[in-house]
Amino acid sequence: MEIQKKLFDLNYEELKTFLNKKIGIEEKKLNMRAQQVFTAVYQKGLSDFKNLTTVPIDLREQLNKNISINNCKITTTHTSSDGTLKFLVQLRDGNKVECVYIPERTRGTICISSQVGCSLTCTFCRSGTQRLVKNLSPSEIVSQLMLVKDRLKDWGDQKIISNIVFMGQGEPLINLKNLKTAIQILKDKNGLNYGNKKITVSTSGIANKISEAADEIGTYLALSLHAPNDELREKIMPINKKFKIKELIKQLKYYTSVVKEPIFLEYVMLKGVNDTEDCAKQLVKLMSQFPSKVNLIEFNSWPGVKFEPTERKNIEKFSKYIQDKGYMSFIRRSRGDDVLAACGQLRTESEKSQY
Ligand code: SAH
């Protein structure tokens, strides 16, 4: 039986409550103690309370007995020729998830998973070929970042990992409760201190969760749109049968009214499927309804997939059409695809338990 609490499951306030109720730290010292823990662990990379020299020895022992710092481990690392690193992270229960570190000239981005497997079965996405196994807990989400920070020796003020995107395996808004706690930890000023503009949550469009995300998360939001009308979107993304584009637009308007930042529309370019001028025209009409920018993504192939990537010159043409109508369109270069670390290529072998 699990008796120890996992530190990465607790936001700052929850840690204070735990220190008070379970370890008996008096009220007036709670803030100081929680701060000492958050600073040491999240900013300096402390991995064992024995070395928390800012607190008395008996408290170090109490902390060690009651709280564990990290239960996950990296079992495999793949390095792409472009410097992208793909990590396989093994959870305490034996399940595995992938996360990816993407170095760029001016920033370093980590792409994090929110579930083991995925329930959405988007036809172009490799993660969708793996059944949903489970939602990740806050600690399993935060662990991915902490493990990679440790690998990169990213402690102190430097922030080698400057940006965090929830674009790994799974659908973050289906795991909203745990996502919220994890993001509170990522944003906490006493610890990791990532700002709202350093974090992007990507959703396939779980419309009935978007307002809650606006009110309680507040980071950038990306919508995996991939098709500008219901008929086509339904064919490639079954989730569209449940949440139609009209409803999504309504929710995204709300999101931008609260968060005051444009929505990133992700649009993977599938040859002969969604890359026609007519699609571009419909996309522009959609973009006119709320603040947005579109990211055109090169389709990353994977074994067994039936789609092909749109040729580069046609992606450029599509992009130019949107720009000429006065909207923002960017072409996203694929990263890490030689080690299947690019968007839509992540998949682990964890399967749903039979019991
Ligand atoms: N479930 C969330 C988080 C996953 S993000 C979501 O759908 O947004 C992963 C992104 O990569 C999504 O935009 C997804 O649609 C896109 N993607 C999936 N398969 C891809 C592929 N083969 N090539 C390029 N992008 C892909």
Side-chain angles (χ1 to χ4, degrees):
M1 203 179 67
E2 195 87 63
I3 39 161
Q4 276 188 319
K5 197 80 188 166
K6 299 185 184 76
L7 180 67
F8 301 164
D9 275 328
L10 302 172
N11 66 25
Y12 190 74
E13 286 308 313
E14 289 165 345
L15 176 64
K16 276 169 58 179
T17 306
F18 187 83
L19 293 177
N20 182 245
K21 297 269 179 320
K22 289 284 172 351
I23 301 191
I25 293 177
E26 53 190 313
E27 202 79 38
K28 66 176 199 288
K29 286 194 174 160
L30 280 179
N31 230 341
M32 176 179 76
R33 294 299 182 219
Q35 227 164 47
Q36 286 167 322
V37 170
F38 259 55
T39 310
V41 173
Y42 292 116
Q43 297 183 353
K44 302 193 176 136
L46 181 89
S47 58
D48 189 330
F49 286 119
K50 279 201 196 91
N51 303 323
L52 185 59
T53 49
T54 48
V55 310
I57 291 187
D58 57 337
L59 178 55
R60 289 179 222 171
E61 282 163 8
Q62 284 286 334
L63 289 168
N64 243 339
K65 210 168 83 194
N66 290 286
I67 308 180
S68 67
I69 298 189
N70 198 351
N71 294 297
C72 306
K73 59 178 186 210
I74 292 174
T75 55
T76 321
T77 309
H78 294 281
T79 308
S80 159
S81 55
D82 67 16
T84 298
L85 302 172
K86 179 169 85 166
F87 300 99
L88 193 60
V89 173
Q90 183 170 348
L91 313 178
R92 177 69 182 264
D93 62 12
N95 279 308
K96 290 179 180 143
V97 289
E98 286 176 329
C99 64
V100 180
Y101 170 69
I102 308 150
E104 289 170 286
R105 225 166 357 104
T106 53
R107 60 182 180 183
T109 303
I110 188 172
C111 175
I112 287 187
S113 294
S114 55
Q115 296 181 314
V116 181
C118 190
S119 59
L120 299 172
T121 64
C122 300
T123 49
F124 47 83
C125 180
R126 188 166 183 250
S127 306
T129 63
Q130 182 188 2
R131 281 199 309 165
L132 178 68
V133 177
K134 65 166 205 165
N135 281 333
L136 294 184
S137 64
S139 62
E140 290 165 339
I141 295 173
V142 173
S143 283
Q144 297 172 57
L145 172 70
M146 293 298 283
L147 287 168
V148 179
K149 272 176 83 73
D150 199 50
R151 272 297 166 93
L152 301 177
K153 298 282 163 279
D154 186 19
W155 304 117
D157 295 331
Q158 54 182 350
K159 282 221 169 133
I160 296 174
I161 301 177
S162 57
N163 294 64
I164 301 169
V165 298
F166 284 86
M167 296 189 182
Q169 287 154 288
E171 169 49 50
L173 296 193
I174 293 182
N175 188 13
L176 188 53
K177 183 168 172 284
N178 293 345
L179 179 79
K180 273 194 302 199
T181 306
I183 290 183
Q184 283 162 356
I185 296 170
L186 302 180
K187 292 207 294 199
D188 200 292
K189 297 221 166 13
N190 298 298
L192 290 161
N193 195 19
Y194 283 95
N196 274 332
K197 294 185 183 180
K198 298 291 176 189
I199 304 174
T200 304
V201 172
S202 181
T203 179
S204 60
I206 311 300
N208 62 357
K209 301 285 181 192
I210 291 178
S211 61
E212 190 176 338
D215 297 337
E216 297 183 37
I217 293 187
T219 61
Y220 283 134
L221 183 71
L223 170 74
S224 296
L225 182 65
H226 306 318
N229 61 64
D230 284 326
E231 195 192 345
L232 179 56
R233 195 165 189 266
E234 226 164 271
K235 277 195 197 138
I236 58 175
M237 298 180 72
I239 189 70
N240 199 79
K241 292 188 185 128
K242 188 155 179 208
F243 301 111
K244 307 285 183 218
I245 292 179
K246 196 167 159 214
E247 181 57 23
L248 280 176
I249 292 174
K250 189 173 144 207
Q251 297 302 325
L252 295 175
K253 274 186 189 161
Y254 178 75
Y255 199 94
T256 53
S257 75
V258 174
V259 176
K260 314 240 180 295
E261 293 292 340
I263 303 291
F264 301 119
L265 299 176
E266 310 291 306
Y267 198 99
V268 59
M269 297 294 286
L270 305 170
K271 187 175 178 174
V273 177
N274 62 358
D275 59 355
T276 59
E277 187 170 320
D278 198 38
C279 282
K281 200 167 160 186
Q282 293 176 36
L283 180 56
V284 162
K285 193 157 166 234
L286 197 150
M287 290 179 81
S288 70
Q289 299 177 63
F290 58 95
S292 62
K293 306 174 180 184
V294 68
N295 283 325
L296 301 177
I297 309 170
E298 289 174 5
F299 171 65
N300 300 306
S301 202
W302 41 271
V305 72
K306 62 178 184 187
F307 297 106
E308 283 175 61
T310 301
E311 281 163 45
R312 183 75 195 189
K313 69 170 194 314
N314 291 335
I315 300 183
E316 281 164 10
K317 213 168 111 193
F318 195 93
S319 188
K320 187 163 180 308
Y321 182 95
I322 297 165
Q323 288 170 349
D324 288 347
K325 299 286 175 199
Y327 296 96
M328 288 216 253
S329 169
F330 303 93
I331 300 177
R332 264 220 335 239
R333 221 160 30 105
S334 172
R335 298 288 305 265
D337 55 347
D338 54 342
V339 291
L340 289 180
C343 293
Q345 291 183 316
L346 304 184
R347 185 189 196 282
T348 48
E349 300 310 320
S350 295
E351 293 299 346
K352 202 178 190 116
S353 144
Q354 299 304 306
Y355 312 101

